Amino acid sequence: MINTMKMIQRLLLLAVVACCLPWAVQGQEEDPVLFTVEDKPVHESEFVYIYSKTNGKNATFSRKSLEEYLDLYVKFKLKVQKAKEMQLDTIPQLKQELEGYRRQLADSYLIDKEVTEKLIREAYEHAQQDVDISHILFSVPENASDEEEKAVYEKALAAKKRLEEGADFAALAKELSDDKSAERNEGHIGFVTALFPNGFYQLEKAAYEAKVGTLTGPLRTDAGYHLLMVHSRRPARGELEAAHILLRTEEGEDDAKVKARIDSIYQALKGGADFEQLARELSEDGRSAGKGGKIGFFGINTYASDFENAAFGLEEDGDFSEPVKTRAGWHIIQRISRRDIQPYNIEKGRLENEIKKDNRFEQAKAAMVERIKKDAGLKEYPEVLESFKQSLTDTFLTFRWRVPEEKPEDLLFEFGADYPVTLGDFYDFLDRSSRKRIRMGRNKDLAEAADELYLDFLNETAMRYEEKQLEKKYPDFRALMREYEEGILLFEATKMLVWDKASQDTVGLEKFYEIAKGQYRWGPRAETSIYRVSTDLRDQMDEVRAFLSTHSPQEVMEKYNTGEVPLVRHEMKKLEKNLYPEFKNMEWEEGALSQSEENPRARTFRIIKIEKILEPTYKTMEEARGYIVADYQDYLEDKWVEGLREEYEVEINDKVFESLIKE
């Protein structure tokens, strides 16, 4: 029981991490005290948060549900008060456990709050619109030197100056852009929507943030530098599910004949012909014709613009377009359904998956670290790092390098006035990072390796520093940590005063059983024979059943088990009537037989025979031990809470409670 309860408690605590439901603690004057336990206040916001999270959709804020939950929460706080009075919060093992939970939560919490959530919100806002853009690309070679990068940047600046002086964007795109499509589209990409391809986050941000009609850039992406022009924005088209009928126009073919055929199909559709049937019979798109012309869902820029505009121009499901010409031929398009951008809570999961695969995620994390350094007033001592680098030998980038036994206390850097980091701390980091340090020996010299490892250490420490500020900055994190701490304390106190006592207090358990044993009675029971009859006797089953009903198990065995392989197996069991469905379809009397239930895998029939109806009786303590221990735990817990109510003063603010009631 104790192990089970401990597992449940741990799972509940981990579930808190998964929930991470945000809540806001208001100012003291706006967040009144709902009740106190020994003058320890519990504010309205805390109670509302816990009530809402626990009850979910059933959090109606009715008087009855609030009264019931308030009683539960007062009991909870009474137990926590007792645990603190027992000084369980000072036990090193429990403090270590709490710190472990904190590390697990903080590691992901800061990234989720500062990076993931903001990027998802931004992406969702971007996805509400399609944006019409043109660009000129100045590509930067992979692994370009600083000089090469600078040269490309200056080339982009020069082009921007020409545009600002009146040069034509389209002409300049054809002249200068390294985007090969510029020869055809003059730099005009057309309408696009978020998310842009991986590596083009800066271009996406500018496309959604720049004023329409203004020139922006140079913007750096993985491809190089861009000059961007935003022409317009419109509500996002979302996705369309469609079907089409295609008549292809081959080079040299008389387009007028194809047009005449597609017009005749269009007239047939207007006359009531079935679109799916005509697509199967006449469409020349081999991939979709067999599916009645269905091409599934698609968004913008999937097909040619004429096809897209015609498809998204259809107003109702089932509508079909007039013939539309593309390079592939002539189409008639039918709208099947349309899927707009879904609410945030639905789109969030999809966007999160995409964002975490995009390098914008790493860029945002890096920007967050730089912000932490700035806000925390990072102060570095480069002379200490330089002295360290000068002391390095060739063994530093090998497995032979060792951390000195006496670690130096020289100050390497510090955040604010109360977070110093020493050279000795850096040595500890280097020891933990031995794999990366040794790999660096393949392509870096000592100074480069030391600088890179120092930056890794500085960034890691910045994160650890910020995580220590979480309770101050985020009330919801503070609430989660309070839940962890109080949950651990409650578990330990209950374990000591209830669970352990219930299982170990033999005398108390026996007394409780004697008082309450009337609760532990057997239901209607019978002494039964359970026969498993081989399917080899299938054709003789009526004869077998007749013999079973009137003979003893010994006589049955003697009759049917004469060969090497027994045809009938038998066991005796006491069975409760209410627990076995076989009893529902048979008389409750001695000699009655159940139906023959076949088990194909075992190649047997199972038959239950009632040998004797047993008199109602109490369960012995051993027979009911699990139930008795559980009930004794409940009894001890009730007595414990009664004692706590007498020991500690609880005051409830009725006015605040009444203000919570909504029905």
Side-chain angles (χ1 to χ4, degrees):
M1 176 64 73
I2 294 172
N3 290 338
T4 302
M5 291 302 294
K6 186 167 185 177
M7 179 183 71
I8 292 171
Q9 179 68 20
R10 296 299 185 258
L11 289 173
L12 288 173
L13 288 171
L14 291 175
V16 174
V17 179
C19 291
C20 285
L21 297 176
W23 68 299
V25 175
Q26 302 163 334
Q28 186 74 18
E29 69 281 357
E30 299 176 0
D31 189 15
V33 174
L34 177 60
F35 68 89
T36 60
V37 176
E38 288 293 285
D39 295 327
K40 303 292 191 306
V42 175
H43 291 274
E44 176 188 299
S45 59
E46 177 184 337
F47 177 78
V48 169
Y49 161 68
I50 293 293
Y51 169 82
S52 300
K53 189 172 78 171
T54 303
N55 290 282
K57 293 180 180 179
N58 296 320
T60 60
F61 287 85
S62 66
R63 177 181 293 277
K64 182 180 179 182
S65 69
L66 285 170
E67 286 176 344
E68 289 175 351
Y69 200 78
L70 178 61
D71 183 61
L72 289 173
Y73 205 53
V74 167
K75 290 178 183 178
F76 172 77
K77 287 293 186 177
L78 284 167
K79 296 172 186 177
V80 170
Q81 177 66 24
K82 183 63 175 180
K84 290 182 177 180
E85 189 177 280
M86 295 165 66
Q87 297 187 323
L88 298 182
D89 53 345
T90 66
I91 297 175
Q93 182 181 350
L94 298 186
K95 292 173 69 175
Q96 184 178 359
E97 183 177 354
L98 180 62
E99 182 57 31
Y101 281 127
R102 190 188 188 285
R103 281 196 302 271
Q104 290 179 33
L105 180 57
D107 283 345
S108 59
Y109 187 90
L110 187 57
I111 297 297
D112 287 344
K113 272 291 183 185
E114 292 284 337
V115 177
T116 309
E117 191 173 309
K118 291 180 180 178
L119 287 176
I120 294 172
R121 283 285 180 188
E122 178 187 67
Y124 184 71
E125 290 302 316
H126 287 177
Q128 303 301 307
Q129 292 185 313
D130 300 331
V131 56
D132 184 14
I133 60 173
S134 292
H135 83 135
I136 302 174
L137 170 65
F138 302 87
S139 61
V140 176
E142 192 174 353
N143 300 319
S145 65
D146 291 343
E147 291 76 13
E148 290 174 316
E149 174 109 11
K150 183 179 179 183
V152 175
Y153 179 72
E154 289 178 347
K155 183 179 178 182
L157 279 179
K160 182 178 183 180
K161 184 177 180 182
R162 288 174 61 183
L163 290 169
E164 290 172 340
E165 291 173 348
D168 180 66
F169 192 101
L172 206 59
K174 291 186 67 173
E175 176 189 342
L176 299 176
S177 184
D178 292 321
D179 182 346
K180 294 180 180 179
S181 67
E183 279 293 323
R184 171 177 50 83
N185 62 22
E186 298 178 328
H188 185 215
I189 296 174
F191 277 101
V192 289
T193 195
L195 277 56
F196 281 24
N198 190 12
F200 287 79
Y201 175 54
Q202 296 303 323
L203 192 67
E204 178 187 316
K205 279 181 66 69
Y208 281 95
E209 294 174 3
K211 290 183 179 180
V212 172
T214 60
L215 180 66
T216 306
L219 302 164
R220 184 66 162 97
T221 70
D222 285 0
Y225 289 97
H226 305 254
L227 296 178
L228 174 70
M229 178 68 73
V230 179
H231 301 296
S232 65
R233 298 189 184 96
R234 71 184 181 201
R237 280 183 165 177
E239 292 183 312
L240 195 78
E241 183 185 18
H244 79 142
I245 298 171
L246 168 65
L247 298 184
R248 297 189 182 277
T249 52
E250 304 294 341
E251 188 173 348
E253 186 177 359
D254 187 350
D255 187 65
K257 292 182 178 179
V258 179
K259 178 66 165 63
R261 288 172 55 210
I262 200 74
D263 284 342
S264 68
I265 295 173
Y266 178 66
Q267 291 302 321
L269 289 170
K270 289 182 67 177
D274 183 71
F275 191 99
E276 184 174 337
Q277 182 179 346
L278 289 182
R280 291 181 187 276
E281 295 173 355
L282 302 175
S283 179
E284 295 173 359
D285 179 358
R287 290 178 297 181
S288 68
K291 297 182 287 187
K294 293 177 181 176
I295 57 177
F297 279 97
F298 62 91
I300 65 173
N301 293 326
T302 305
Y303 299 113
S305 60
D306 290 338
F307 184 97
E308 177 189 313
N309 290 334
F312 279 96
L314 297 170
E315 295 184 359
E316 302 290 340
D317 295 348
D319 287 355
F320 53 87
S321 69
E322 294 182 359
V324 179
K325 179 71 182 297
T326 71
R327 285 188 293 175
W330 286 93
H331 311 254
I332 299 175
I333 308 162
Q334 183 182 49
R335 168 172 156 171
I336 298 174
S337 67
R338 185 163 180 169
R339 185 163 59 197
D340 293 325
I341 303 299
Q342 299 299 299
Y344 178 77
N345 64 325
I346 297 176
E347 295 282 359
K348 182 179 179 180
R350 176 185 66 83
L351 290 173
E352 182 173 357
N353 289 334
E354 293 184 26
I355 281 168
K356 287 190 173 179
K357 292 183 283 189
D358 192 286
N359 66 13
R360 71 181 66 193
F361 188 69
E362 295 303 321
Q363 292 172 13
K365 283 170 63 176
M368 177 190 68
V369 171
E370 293 306 310
R371 190 270 303 161
I372 292 169
K373 294 175 185 176
K374 181 179 178 181
D375 291 351
L378 170 65
K379 184 176 181 181
E380 299 178 79
Y381 297 92
E383 66 278 3
V384 176
L385 178 63
E386 190 60 34
S387 176
F388 163 77
K389 289 159 61 176
Q390 294 297 326
S391 70
L392 296 176
T393 65
D394 291 340
T395 62
F396 179 64
L397 299 179
T398 73
F399 65 90
R400 297 192 302 274
W401 185 79
R402 294 289 183 271
V403 173
E405 291 186 11
E406 292 189 16
K407 297 169 188 171
E409 295 297 322
D410 307 68
L411 196 58
L412 187 59
F413 56 82
E414 56 186 331
F415 291 99
D418 58 352
Y419 201 86
V421 181
T422 67
L423 187 57
D425 297 326
F426 186 36
Y427 271 113
D428 289 337
F429 171 81
L430 294 172
D431 194 34
R432 298 196 310 270
S433 308
S434 56
R435 287 188 179 180
K436 180 173 183 178
R437 175 173 50 79
I438 293 169
R439 284 200 305 268
M440 286 179 166
R442 302 171 189 168
N443 54 17
K444 294 185 185 295
D445 61 31
L446 290 175
E448 287 177 319
D451 285 337
E452 184 172 328
L453 288 165
Y454 169 76
L455 183 59
D456 288 348
F457 176 56
L458 179 60
N459 291 342
E460 178 187 287
T461 309
M463 290 290 290
R464 298 290 83 80
Y465 168 80
E466 189 70 1
E467 286 170 3
K468 288 186 176 294
Q469 319 304 314
L470 287 175
E471 281 88 349
K472 299 177 185 176
K473 292 189 174 184
Y474 295 105
D476 49 332
F477 184 84
R478 185 166 63 248
L480 290 172
M481 288 310 302
R482 185 200 67 243
E483 286 186 75
Y484 274 130
E485 180 182 13
E486 293 184 345
I488 290 172
L489 293 178
L490 175 63
F491 176 84
E492 286 301 317
T494 308
K495 178 178 179 296
M496 293 169 62
L497 301 176
V498 176
W499 301 332
D500 287 352
K501 185 174 181 180
S503 61
Q504 297 169 8
D505 180 11
T506 305
V507 175
L509 197 62
E510 290 176 351
K511 289 182 178 179
F512 179 78
Y513 168 71
E514 289 300 324
I515 295 171
K517 69 178 181 180
Q519 303 175 37
Y520 311 113
R521 295 176 62 88
W522 288 109
R525 287 190 305 160
E527 188 80 43
T528 67
S529 287
I530 301 177
Y531 292 100
R532 288 177 173 82
V533 181
S534 171
T535 53
D536 291 345
L537 296 175
R538 182 188 300 274
D539 295 338
Q540 306 170 48
M541 190 55 64
D542 289 343
E543 176 190 326
V544 171
R545 289 179 61 86
F547 193 85
L548 293 182
S549 67
T550 56
H551 291 78
S552 69
Q554 183 178 353
E555 291 171 326
V556 172
M557 298 298 104
E558 290 174 354
K559 178 175 175 62
Y560 291 103
N561 292 341
T562 57
E564 293 183 5
V565 178
L567 296 177
V568 179
R569 298 182 185 276
H570 170 266
E571 64 176 322
M572 297 291 294
K573 275 191 175 181
K574 293 177 181 178
L575 302 181
E576 282 196 80
K577 181 180 181 180
N578 297 334
L579 298 182
Y580 286 83
E582 291 91 340
F583 291 137
K584 292 182 179 179
N585 300 314
M586 57 188 288
E587 296 295 327
W588 187 250
E589 60 185 23
E590 294 181 3
L593 296 182
S594 70
Q595 297 294 320
S596 304
E597 181 182 343
E598 185 175 2
N599 182 340
R601 298 186 69 180
R603 300 185 69 243
T604 61
F605 290 96
R606 180 172 179 264
I607 303 172
I608 298 176
K609 176 186 177 183
I610 297 177
E611 300 285 4
K612 181 181 179 182
I613 304 295
L614 299 175
E615 293 295 326
T617 183
Y618 296 120
K619 293 181 180 179
T620 67
M621 187 164 175
E622 285 308 310
E623 288 173 331
R625 185 174 183 82
Y627 297 102
I628 298 168
V629 170
D631 290 343
Y632 190 40
Q633 287 178 350
D634 292 340
Y635 168 77
L636 290 175
E637 186 164 4
D638 289 342
K639 298 297 289 183
W640 182 31
V641 172
E642 286 179 19
L644 293 177
R645 289 189 186 277
E646 294 176 3
E647 184 177 356
Y648 302 125
E649 183 179 359
V650 176
E651 290 189 7
I652 296 175
N653 189 326
D654 293 329
K655 183 178 180 181
V656 174
F657 177 78
E658 292 292 329
S659 71
L660 297 176
I661 298 170
K662 294 183 179 178
E663 59 176 61

